[in-house]
């Protein structure tokens, strides 16, 4: 994903004021009925200031008339009822409006989050999910942050409210124009609009500062999670890290907050301009009609009408959170647009899954397990220049069991992610059944692959569901689930639990239980076996015996790998006892194949594989430790 976005990985928040506003208004119409009701409530709210001004003037006229004995009691009662009714109705409708706004904002936010999820799932490979720019933009767009300060929904409903507030100010200005002076009405409107524009500019600046610091906030949140969530809690307690983690979190949080507060302090320093403009507006609204009344050119009732109406005009210069909600939430909308453009770019530059999934490149040859060939394959992780895979040429024949071995970090897992279509090569080609695999075919290809990753998932579901998840359309195949469980050696778990295959594998759910690391690994193997039994024709096993005891490891090849008939198998293991029976063993070094052959051939060659094997074997012989240590030291 491109990072060419200026500071903080963002484009400027404003594209065009009008387009921005229209985008937000469109967004606010997420649900026609709710937004229709909101419009009615806002219309009422817009009319209230002008109506209150007129009713107050009427009340004052009634009161002064009653005082001089020229008016009856009803001349005071009716305007009093009108003013009270306006106030009560305003209270009720304001509460209703707030509830509707919250509901509408929730609908809009949920819709945006769904779009972000779709965008995250859209590209063929998963490289973008490890891209910090994508992570920041997704966080900006879907407001996953603490306190929900950035919400497209809040921005959209705020924008709708603001439009009607302007309408209300126009209504109040019209009352001033009719009751006193069109000039005063215009001046008040202009001064308040300028005031608002100044405030808005500062909020935009603050929103940009927050945007640029998004990754700082994510770091602080990470340490919050470490301090309080389950997976890290064991180590945090055991190593007594709690205070250190809290200090680290506080440090990160303060560093982030300081940048925001310094922007806020800057804004506060400039508030003098706002105060001056507000003083001009308030002064002219009170002074000019006041002087006219003193001269006898304006009645007391008209004076009150003008003053109350002026209050209505001031509403558009208000300093409330609304401006921040709008500007900051708008940043979320812009982030969504950027995600849209970039993800669409990725999809279209390589062809979208939707358009081209199932292209011939990923079509299996008549019933035969997959054949894979890499030609000059190169891969570097996003944002890194380091070629983890560096010009790799390898053929995996249909139906063979190929083992990948090599030192830590040479790129074995990376290679199987490429072979499985999870990443696309930086250069070179991967051919599946003789045809080049591109983004278009990757999605269809992945449907032919079953993988047990080193960091396999542990789903808080039943044992049966944990196995059947690899082919959910066959989850009613009870016999298939049992067969996969038997081969992976997890049938004993079902046998000794009263709930059998319905046993819930989650200790934090009522009636649930947890498994050991080795038992979970067997469940992951059963899951992959189940997928192969339902048609997947490449089985990839990354360190499948890492958690298994010696008995289970010894049985693994015989019961799982040797039993696979309809699939090609790629197996990674540091335990050379696990891979020695493979049809072919490939040694990777520095992202390339440096040795390959059967176990016997590689031992006879006396290369690096033979050396590694001797080190491991020596550990189990009497004279072993010394020989092994010497070998390791070489
Ligand atoms: N998501 C990632 N982003 C950037 N670099 C990565 C990423 N994952 C792995 N790497 C780097 O790629 C290199 C190869 O990693 P890989 O996991 O493929 O090695 P491996 O051979 O499977 O190692 P091991 O035997 O320890 O499992 C390492 O140098 C690692 O630091």
């Amino acid at each position: 994903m491109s990072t060419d976005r200026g500071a903080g990985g963002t484009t400027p928040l404003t594209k065009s004021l009008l387009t921005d506003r229209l985008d937000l208004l469109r967004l606010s119409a997420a649900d026609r009925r709710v937004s229709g009701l909101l419009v009615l409530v806002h219309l009422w709210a817009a009319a209230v200031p002008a109506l209150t001004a007129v009713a107050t003037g009427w009340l004052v006229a009634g009161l002064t008339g009653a005082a001089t004995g020229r008016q009856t009691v009803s001349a005071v009662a009716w305007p009093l009822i009108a003013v009270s009714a306006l106030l009560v109705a305003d209270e009720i409708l304001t509460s209703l409006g707030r509830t509707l706004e919250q509901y509408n904002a929730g609908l809009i936010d949920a819709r945006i989050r769904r779009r972000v999820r779709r965008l995250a799932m859209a590209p063929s490979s998963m490289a973008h999910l490890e891209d910090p720019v994508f992570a920041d933009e997704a966080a900006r767009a879907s407001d996953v942050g603490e306190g929900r300060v950035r919400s497209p929904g809040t921005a959209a409903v705020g924008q709708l409210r603001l439009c009607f507030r302007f309408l209300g100010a126009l209504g109040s200005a019209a009352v001033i124009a009719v009751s006193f002076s069109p000039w005063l009405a215009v001046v008040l409107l202009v001064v308040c609009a300028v005031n608002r524009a100044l405030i808005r500019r500062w909020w935009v600046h603050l929103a940009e500062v927050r945007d640029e610091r998004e990754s700082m906030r994510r770091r602080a949140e990470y340490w919050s999670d470490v301090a309080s969530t389950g997976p890290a809690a064991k180590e945090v307690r055991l190593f007594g890290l709690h205070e250190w983690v809290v200090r680290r979190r506080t440090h990160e949080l303060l560093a982030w907050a300081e940048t925001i507060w310094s922007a806020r302090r800057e804004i506060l320093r400039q508030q003098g301009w706002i105060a001056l403009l507000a003083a001009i507006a308030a002064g002219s609204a009170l002074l000019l009609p006041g002087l006219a009344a003193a001269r006898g050119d304006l009645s007391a009732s008209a004076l009150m009408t003008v003053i109350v109406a002026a209050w209505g005009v001031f509403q558009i210069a208000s300093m409330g959170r609304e401006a921040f909600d709008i500007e900051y939430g708008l940043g979320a909308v812009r982030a969504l647009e950027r995600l849209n453009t970039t993800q669409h770019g990725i999809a279209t530059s390589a062809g979208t899954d939707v358009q081209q999934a199932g292209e011939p490149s990923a079509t299996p040859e008549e019933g035969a397990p997959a054949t894979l060939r890499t030609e000059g394959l190169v891969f570097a992780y996003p944002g890194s220049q380091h070629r983890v895979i560096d010009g790799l040429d390898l053929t995996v024949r249909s139906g063979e069991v190929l083992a990948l071995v090599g030192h830590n970090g040479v790129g074995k897992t990376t290679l199987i992610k490429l072979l499985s279509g999870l990443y696309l090569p930086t250069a070179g080609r991967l051919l599946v059944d003789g045809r080049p695999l591109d983004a278009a075919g990757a999605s269809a290809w992945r449907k032919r692959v079953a993988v047990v990753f080193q960091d396999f998932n542990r789903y808080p579901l039943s044992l049966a569901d944990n196995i059947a998840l690899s082919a959910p359309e066959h989850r009613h195949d009870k016999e298939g689930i049992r067969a996969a469980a038997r081969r992976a050696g997890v049938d004993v778990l079902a046998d000794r639990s009263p709930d059998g295959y319905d046993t819930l594998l989650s200790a934090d759910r009522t009636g649930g239980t947890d498994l050991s690391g080795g038992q979970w690994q067997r469940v992951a193997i059963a899951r992959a076996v189940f997928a192969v039994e339902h048609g997947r024709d490449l089985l990839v096993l990354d360190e499948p015996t890492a958690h298994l005891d010696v008995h289970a490891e010894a049985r693994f090849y015989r019961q799982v790998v040797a039993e696979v008939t309809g699939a090609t198998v790629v197996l990674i293991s540091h335990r050379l006892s696990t891979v020695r029976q493979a049809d072919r063993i490939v040694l990777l070094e520095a992202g390339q194949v440096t040795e390959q052959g059967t176990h016997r051939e590689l031992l006879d060659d006396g290369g690096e594989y033979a050396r590694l094997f001797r080190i491991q074997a020596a550990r189990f012989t009497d004279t072993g430790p010394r020989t092994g240590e010497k070998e390791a030291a070489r």
Side-chain angles (χ1 to χ4, degrees):
M1 196 172 178
S2 164
T3 53
D4 184 21
R5 295 200 181 126
T10 60
T11 47
L13 284 171
T14 43
K15 54 177 192 191
S16 129
L17 197 59
L18 187 64
T19 332
D20 282 344
R21 303 303 180 216
L22 289 176
D23 282 354
L24 283 180
L25 285 179
R26 265 195 293 275
L27 205 59
S28 72
D31 179 302
R32 281 184 195 286
R33 264 188 313 178
V34 178
S35 46
L37 264 176
L38 253 180
V39 166
L40 288 180
V41 171
H42 284 322
L43 256 178
W44 166 254
V48 164
L51 289 178
T52 310
V54 172
T56 311
W58 185 23
L59 177 62
V60 171
L63 283 170
T64 47
T68 56
R70 276 185 285 114
Q71 299 275 17
T72 60
V73 173
S74 65
V76 176
W78 282 116
L80 201 58
I81 289 170
V83 171
S84 312
L86 276 170
L87 290 176
V88 171
D90 192 39
E91 268 305 306
I92 293 171
L93 286 163
T94 303
S95 307
L96 177 65
R98 259 192 230 120
T99 310
L100 283 171
E101 281 189 339
Q102 271 175 13
Y103 181 65
N104 204 24
L107 288 178
I108 295 165
D109 290 341
R111 182 175 285 192
I112 297 264
R113 274 194 290 274
R114 274 199 299 277
R115 275 172 71 184
V116 172
R117 274 197 295 274
R118 272 203 300 273
L119 285 170
M121 299 300 291
S124 213
S125 86
M126 50 175 255
H128 63 290
L129 297 177
E130 293 172 347
D131 182 348
V133 177
F134 179 90
D136 282 350
E137 293 287 40
R140 285 184 187 110
S142 54
D143 177 36
V144 291
E146 242 173 78
R148 298 180 50 77
V149 285
R150 172 198 294 279
S151 156
T154 324
V157 297
Q159 183 59 56
L160 190 66
R161 191 187 325 125
L162 185 62
C163 284
F164 283 95
R165 199 183 285 187
F166 271 106
L167 194 66
L170 279 176
S172 297
V175 170
I176 296 173
V178 170
S179 328
F180 178 56
S181 151
W183 284 111
L184 180 64
V186 171
V187 167
L188 277 186
L189 268 178
V190 170
V191 170
C192 288
V194 169
N195 219 354
R196 175 153 205 109
L198 279 177
I199 296 170
R200 180 185 162 273
R201 210 185 62 183
W202 293 332
W203 283 128
V204 169
H205 171 63
L206 188 61
E208 279 174 351
V209 171
R210 289 191 80 114
D211 248 2
E212 286 167 13
R213 303 295 184 271
E214 179 60 29
S215 52
M216 284 175 87
R217 190 182 61 80
R218 281 202 298 124
R219 273 206 304 277
E221 266 184 16
Y222 167 79
W223 289 111
S224 285
D225 288 349
V226 167
S228 58
T229 54
K234 287 198 288 283
E235 287 201 9
V236 168
R237 275 164 185 70
L238 201 65
F239 295 142
L241 286 177
H242 193 258
E243 276 187 24
W244 183 87
V245 169
V246 169
R247 267 203 308 277
R248 181 74 195 240
R249 183 226 177 216
T250 310
H251 171 77
E252 301 270 4
L253 205 59
L254 286 179
W256 170 74
E258 177 47 33
T259 59
I260 307 295
W261 280 106
S262 77
R264 280 183 181 267
R265 279 195 294 273
E266 180 60 22
I267 289 175
L268 274 179
R269 271 196 289 276
Q270 299 189 28
Q271 294 286 314
W273 291 106
I274 298 277
L276 184 65
L277 281 169
I280 293 172
S284 45
L286 288 174
L287 199 64
L288 296 179
L291 288 174
R295 284 196 307 271
D297 296 342
L298 194 69
S299 67
S301 60
L303 176 66
M304 279 316 292
T305 302
V306 173
I307 290 173
V308 176
W311 182 250
V313 178
F314 291 159
Q315 293 303 305
I316 56 167
S318 111
M319 288 278 293
R321 263 193 75 90
E322 175 190 81
F324 179 72
D325 285 344
I326 293 175
E327 301 311 334
Y328 198 51
L330 193 54
V333 180
R334 294 283 90 89
L336 184 67
E337 279 175 10
R338 286 191 296 267
L339 276 180
N340 236 337
T341 314
T342 329
Q343 296 305 90
H344 183 71
I346 291 173
T348 47
S349 67
T352 60
D353 290 352
V354 177
Q355 286 165 344
Q356 299 174 50
E359 285 277 287
S361 64
T363 308
E365 281 180 2
E366 277 309 302
T371 304
L372 297 165
R373 193 165 84 242
T374 68
E375 293 177 350
L377 198 71
V378 173
F379 182 75
Y381 279 96
S384 161
Q385 299 296 319
H386 172 58
R387 290 173 160 215
V388 178
I389 303 295
D390 192 10
L392 183 128
D393 295 310
L394 175 70
T395 300
V396 189
R397 294 185 278 269
S398 174
E400 90 170 318
V401 178
L402 180 108
L404 287 175
V405 297
H407 294 278
N408 289 129
V410 292
K412 302 180 296 294
T413 300
T414 307
L415 178 60
I416 60 157
K417 286 183 194 162
L418 284 159
L419 296 181
S420 314
L422 291 171
Y423 291 111
L424 294 172
T426 310
R429 299 202 301 173
L430 165 66
L431 294 101
V432 177
D433 295 332
R435 274 158 281 178
L437 186 81
D438 55 14
S443 158
W445 166 232
R446 283 198 298 270
K447 296 195 178 99
R448 294 174 54 191
V449 182
V451 188
V452 177
F453 288 110
Q454 273 182 50
D455 53 349
F456 48 82
N457 278 352
R458 303 168 184 213
Y459 297 100
L461 299 170
S462 70
L463 174 59
D465 285 345
N466 259 286
I467 295 173
L469 267 188
S470 56
E473 65 281 15
H474 296 287
R475 66 183 176 283
H476 302 300
D477 175 12
K478 304 276 183 236
E479 191 39 51
I481 292 172
R482 277 195 283 273
R486 260 195 309 279
R487 278 170 61 188
V490 277
D491 52 336
V492 286
L493 292 178
D495 293 346
R496 68 173 180 235
S497 163
D499 293 328
Y501 284 89
D502 291 328
T503 306
L504 182 60
L505 304 186
S506 174
D508 55 11
R509 302 264 176 95
T510 313
T513 182
D514 205 350
L515 300 181
S516 73
Q519 288 168 332
W520 268 116
Q521 186 155 40
R522 292 176 195 220
V523 172
I525 292 170
R527 186 152 64 228
V529 167
F530 187 72
V532 169
E533 290 306 313
H534 286 287
R536 307 256 165 165
D537 62 359
L538 174 69
L539 172 62
V540 179
L541 302 157
D542 191 354
E543 290 292 354
T545 57
H547 297 278
L548 301 191
D549 61 50
V550 278
H551 290 296
E553 189 208 349
R555 278 198 305 269
F556 169 76
Y557 200 94
R558 190 167 18 94
Q559 288 189 348
V560 177
V561 183
E563 285 290 311
V564 173
T565 48
T568 305
V569 181
V570 176
L571 168 65
I572 296 179
S573 183
H574 287 291
R575 295 189 182 187
L576 301 185
S577 48
T578 299
V579 304
R580 58 183 296 174
Q581 298 167 70
D583 299 329
R584 193 156 48 106
I585 300 167
V586 165
L587 183 83
L588 284 192
E589 265 182 282
Q592 291 182 348
V593 175
T594 51
E595 294 175 22
Q596 58 178 305
T598 61
H599 173 70
R600 191 69 262 160
E601 288 164 353
L602 291 175
L603 284 191
D604 291 346
D605 286 349
E608 179 64 11
Y609 176 84
R611 193 177 79 82
L612 292 174
F613 186 77
R614 277 201 302 278
I615 295 171
Q616 285 198 2
R619 290 211 225 120
F620 301 103
T621 64
D622 286 346
T623 53
R626 270 194 223 123
T627 320
E629 279 155 21
K630 267 191 247 153
E631 288 279 1
R634 274 172 52 188

